Amino acid sequence: MKKILQDLNFEELSALVAEKGEKPYRAKQLFEGLMQGKAISAIPVSAALKSALLEAYEDEPVKILNTFVSADGTKKFLFSLADGNIIEGVLMSYKYGNTQCVSTQVGCRMGCKFCASTLNGRVRDLTAGEILGQILAVNRLEGGTLKDRKVTNIVLMGSGEPFDNYDNVVKFLRLVTHEGGIRISARNISLSTCGLVPEMRKFALENIPLNLTVSLHAVTDEERRRTMPIANQYSISEILGACAYYFERTGRRYIFEYSLIAGENCDEEHALALAALLKGRPCHVNLIRLNEVEERDLKSVSEKEAYRFLGVLEKQGVSATLRRSMGSDIGGACGQLRARFLRKNHSASGADVE
Ligand code: SAH
């Protein structure tokens, strides 16, 4: 696999352009073209620079292979990478704009029992440019530009554990918020982690004011270990400690994800225990009804049960919302689309999934 030009920040790109004996304005031209989601071959720089770049760098490292549109307007994408790996992403439309969900790894090694992304383990980390490339490709496909973006918000909630790929993810965050590029404000970005405590603490010092989201999904360590192997490494109390540190350093509230799984974590006692755990903390709880995954035997709860759980939290004074499930008719849950694609296609040939 060749190198990825989108991995470079503006300073690195400028150095590369200078090294090739080109004028500085070429760097700006190149950076702008890349951020518009163009292939290197489609950017109007000199033929000499183009061919020098194409010798070492992938022309288009992240390509949209397929698009699926849900009845609710949610779009799901399959992307192909230069080495033939496949990743997936989603674009959800809201009143305030469009939120894109991106992947940070091919597969995942965290092993959560409810999640389709981790079914075949982790294949590899994505580079910063490959994470960014998903956004640039979708913004371009949707007719967006650098000024009039069609992707306004980002959630790092696709396949992969962002903090298991820390350096690439942080570099991506600096690239995507950079003023010369697509410039999506960190405040419009949410990063979700299964609770890698050392990285949560490290991230508190990066000065990237995004929305930190932690997948909790249980109220005791014992119960958490049943569905999330990472709970063998870090306790809920260590996670809460890292969250408190995050708030102390950044002044930013944090969010907990809590997926309601029938018979596991959604009785009234669970709601009361969750409220006791979180009461008085500067946080918000996002409840989501489990998205059932074919390969897993865990079941979701009814809407009524979900609202009952929400009601208990609210009564206890904990800020919480029940998230709408979007795009479930097109395989909305993490990793479902890729898993389905891999089942039906032994080679990444680009054949239709459905
Ligand atoms: N690795 C990160 C990002 C993962 S995806 C993390 O663990 O936070 C974003 C959220 O979706 C996480 O909270 C994850 O636990 C949750 N999730 C994964 N599979 C799900 C499913 N089938 N139903 C509901 N939520 C799911």
Side-chain angles (χ1 to χ4, degrees), residues 114-115 156-158 160-162 192-194 215 217 257 259 288 290-291 293 333-334:
F114 41 79
C115 183
L156 279 71
M157 295 190 184
E161 165 50 45
S192 182
T193 176
C194 63
S215 301
H217 307 324
E257 298 276 322
S259 297
I288 181 159
L290 183 81
N291 232 318
V293 173
C334 309

Side-chain angles (χ1 to χ4, degrees), residues 4 19 37 47 78 94 115 151 182 189 287 293 304 314:
I4 292 171
E19 193 185 290
L78 275 177
Y94 297 98
C115 183
V151 178
I182 189 162
I189 303 177
L287 297 174
V293 173
K304 200 170 152 198
E314 284 174 337

Side-chain angles (χ1 to χ4, degrees), residues 93-149:
S93 306
Y94 297 98
K95 275 188 248 95
Y96 54 78
N98 298 321
T99 298
Q100 186 176 346
C101 176
V102 296
S103 295
T104 55
Q105 295 177 315
V106 182
C108 182
R109 59 172 176 166
M110 294 297 131
C112 298
K113 292 284 187 291
F114 41 79
C115 183
S117 297
T118 197
L119 285 168
N120 300 304
R122 181 187 61 170
V123 179
R124 70 170 173 88
D125 288 339
L126 296 184
T127 72
E130 286 173 325
I131 307 172
L132 180 66
Q134 298 166 55
I135 291 160
L136 303 180
V138 168
N139 189 51
R140 185 171 173 79
L141 182 79
E142 295 289 306
T145 59
L146 294 185
K147 289 216 167 62
D148 179 23
R149 290 174 302 247

Side-chain angles (χ1 to χ4, degrees), residues 48-323:
L49 179 58
K50 215 180 270 190
S51 70
L53 289 172
L54 287 172
E55 248 170 60
Y57 294 91
E58 287 298 339
D59 191 25
E60 210 182 346
V62 181
K63 287 196 190 108
I64 296 179
L65 188 65
N66 237 323
T67 306
F68 306 85
V69 184
S70 160
D72 64 21
T74 300
K75 292 181 184 160
K76 195 118 204 201
F77 304 96
L78 275 177
F79 302 93
S80 63
L81 306 178
D83 63 358
N85 271 306
I86 302 290
I87 51 172
E88 65 185 272
V90 193
L91 189 69
M92 296 158 286
S93 306
Y94 297 98
K95 275 188 248 95
Y96 54 78
N98 298 321
T99 298
Q100 186 176 346
C101 176
V102 296
S103 295
T104 55
Q105 295 177 315
V106 182
C108 182
R109 59 172 176 166
M110 294 297 131
C112 298
K113 292 284 187 291
F114 41 79
C115 183
S117 297
T118 197
L119 285 168
N120 300 304
R122 181 187 61 170
V123 179
R124 70 170 173 88
D125 288 339
L126 296 184
T127 72
E130 286 173 325
I131 307 172
L132 180 66
Q134 298 166 55
I135 291 160
L136 303 180
V138 168
N139 189 51
R140 185 171 173 79
L141 182 79
E142 295 289 306
T145 59
L146 294 185
K147 289 216 167 62
D148 179 23
R149 290 174 302 247
K150 295 295 182 210
V151 178
T152 55
N153 298 63
I154 303 170
V155 293
L156 279 71
M157 295 190 184
S159 295
E161 165 50 45
F163 283 164
D164 189 37
N165 183 17
Y166 188 90
D167 291 343
N168 286 319
V169 165
V170 167
K171 185 161 196 196
F172 153 72
L173 292 168
R174 299 208 193 282
L175 283 169
V176 80
T177 52
H178 190 279
E179 49 183 25
I182 189 162
R183 198 183 194 177
I184 295 175
S185 156
R187 287 177 173 77
N188 293 343
I189 303 177
S190 299
L191 181 154
S192 182
T193 176
C194 63
L196 301 188
V197 168
E199 285 77 13
M200 288 169 69
R201 289 182 167 267
K202 192 170 167 193
F203 191 74
L205 305 175
E206 296 284 0
N207 196 21
I208 303 176
L210 53 63
N211 308 304
L212 183 66
T213 304
V214 183
S215 301
L216 198 57
H217 307 324
V219 289
T220 65
D221 290 324
E222 197 192 334
E223 289 185 357
R224 197 163 186 263
R225 283 194 284 267
R226 283 214 298 261
T227 51
M228 300 181 72
I230 194 66
N232 291 303
Q233 254 178 68
Y234 304 110
S235 67
I236 292 176
S237 121
E238 286 171 308
I239 289 174
L240 294 180
C243 288
Y245 179 72
Y246 184 78
F247 181 73
E248 185 191 311
R249 302 305 303 223
T250 66
R252 299 188 65 76
R253 277 157 48 108
Y254 40 89
I255 299 145
F256 291 107
E257 298 276 322
Y258 196 96
S259 297
L260 298 164
I261 310 172
E264 273 295 326
N265 64 359
C266 45
D267 292 346
E268 189 178 358
E269 298 95 88
H270 289 111
L272 287 169
L274 184 62
L277 208 56
L278 302 183
K279 211 168 179 169
R281 295 181 190 267
C283 67
H284 180 80
V285 179
N286 269 331
L287 297 174
I288 181 159
R289 287 161 61 203
L290 183 81
N291 232 318
E292 288 174 13
V293 173
E294 251 173 75
E295 294 83 350
R296 308 291 206 189
D297 54 5
L298 297 172
K299 293 276 171 273
S300 187
V301 296
S302 68
E303 200 169 344
K304 200 170 152 198
E305 284 169 291
Y307 275 111
R308 199 178 299 144
F309 195 96
L310 176 68
V312 176
L313 292 183
E314 284 174 337
K315 200 165 162 219
Q316 296 295 315
V318 172
S319 156
T321 39
L322 177 63
R323 280 208 321 213

